[in-house]
Amino acid sequence: MRKINIAIDGFSSCGKSSTAKIIAKQLGYAYIDTGAMYRAITLYFTEHYINSTDPIAVSHALEKIELKFVPNLQTNQSEIFLNGLNVETEIRKMYIAERVSEVAAIVDVRRNLVAQQQRMGKKKGIVMDGRDIGTMVFPDAELKIFMTADVQVRAERRQKELFEKNELVELHKVIENLKHRDNIDTNRSEGPLRKAQEALEIDTTFITFDEQVDIIMGMALSKIYLD
Ligand code: DC
């Protein structure tokens, strides 16, 4: 059976990662959460007081960072390790969300991570979600999806996720954070969030999770078997 790469891009909290995880599981592919990589770098920069406007400090910091995805055998999901330490829980916290777009806009950071992501996808059989996967990381991905949803709906989903992790954040703060990140992610010079021309756009505001998975699975299977 031929293996393909699937790129899933879109705004924050559209359900990209939960969808990508299921698609990867059903196809027996690896799932790569590129947002987790930007978040882990943000955690390192925060813990080491790296000034993100100082290119030399950024470049030295990047040399000291090793990121790895390690499967958790209990949950069957891969978790991100920063220099040998599991940071999967820490990177999901609000203080990281508040700084991550600023760090993800740094050219050096993007080039470093894009190169790592391209290596991960060389052998195909990858479902990768992010902002620039269909445009920069895998411009030749066989299937490209671009997910959108109303900001209110996205914020409610995000607030629920944070609540489940014992972080209570007011809805207006979550909305502000999402709008702020969307704005920086869309307007940065390197790898801005854009729908790739050939990407299929899915608005998840009014469809259920199962429906969005079914749509993407259908597209994936037709690319695998019929193209
Ligand atoms: O998908 P997420 O919300 O975990 O991503 C966190 C941030 O990382 C997001 O605000 C934008 C940035 N990001 C990016 O710039 N490029 C990617 N490929 C993935 C994430």
Side-chain angles (χ1 to χ4, degrees), residues 22-123:
I22 297 274
I23 301 286
K25 195 170 167 208
Q26 292 186 358
L27 291 172
Y29 283 14
Y31 162 62
I32 311 287
D33 173 0
T34 63
M37 300 171 84
Y38 288 95
R39 285 170 180 268
I41 296 221
T42 305
L43 176 63
Y44 183 94
F45 280 18
T46 305
E47 286 183 337
H48 293 82
Y49 303 98
I50 305 296
N51 174 358
S52 38
T53 61
D54 176 352
I56 295 175
V58 166
S59 155
H60 283 160
L62 287 173
E63 281 168 19
K64 293 193 187 116
I65 296 176
E66 191 205 33
L67 300 179
K68 243 188 203 160
F69 285 100
V70 179
N72 177 330
L73 298 178
Q74 276 168 350
T75 60
N76 236 340
Q77 297 191 349
S78 72
E79 296 179 338
I80 193 157
F81 281 62
L82 165 64
N83 293 339
L85 207 73
N86 186 336
V87 293
E88 186 61 39
T89 304
E90 198 61 26
I91 59 163
R92 307 289 163 195
K93 294 188 176 165
M94 196 63 186
Y95 77 96
I96 296 294
E98 278 164 356
R99 202 183 162 199
V100 63
S101 282
E102 172 208 322
V103 172
I106 303 170
V107 173
D108 228 12
V109 169
R110 298 207 72 79
R111 294 195 178 155
N112 182 302
L113 290 190
V114 167
Q116 291 189 45
Q117 291 153 7
Q118 287 173 333
R119 283 196 293 275
M120 293 173 185
K122 259 199 171 145
K123 292 186 183 156

Side-chain angles (χ1 to χ4, degrees), residues 147-202:
M147 288 173 64
T148 63
D150 178 80
V151 72
Q152 180 82 20
V153 172
R154 292 193 276 138
E156 283 165 11
R157 290 178 188 158
R158 184 78 194 114
Q159 188 192 38
K160 189 163 163 266
E161 272 170 27
L162 286 164
F163 184 69
E164 280 162 5
K165 288 171 186 156
N166 298 322
E167 222 181 328
L168 190 58
V169 186
E170 289 166 86
L171 193 64
H172 75 93
K173 285 206 175 134
V174 183
I175 292 177
E176 266 167 41
N177 175 256
L178 290 182
K179 285 185 173 168
H180 175 69
R181 284 203 280 151
D182 290 348
N183 184 34
I184 298 182
D185 294 345
T186 312
N187 292 305
R188 65 178 169 236
S189 60
E190 181 88 2
L193 169 63
R194 291 266 186 285
K195 174 183 171 296
Q197 246 185 359
E198 61 282 34
L200 170 77
E201 184 164 339
I202 303 180

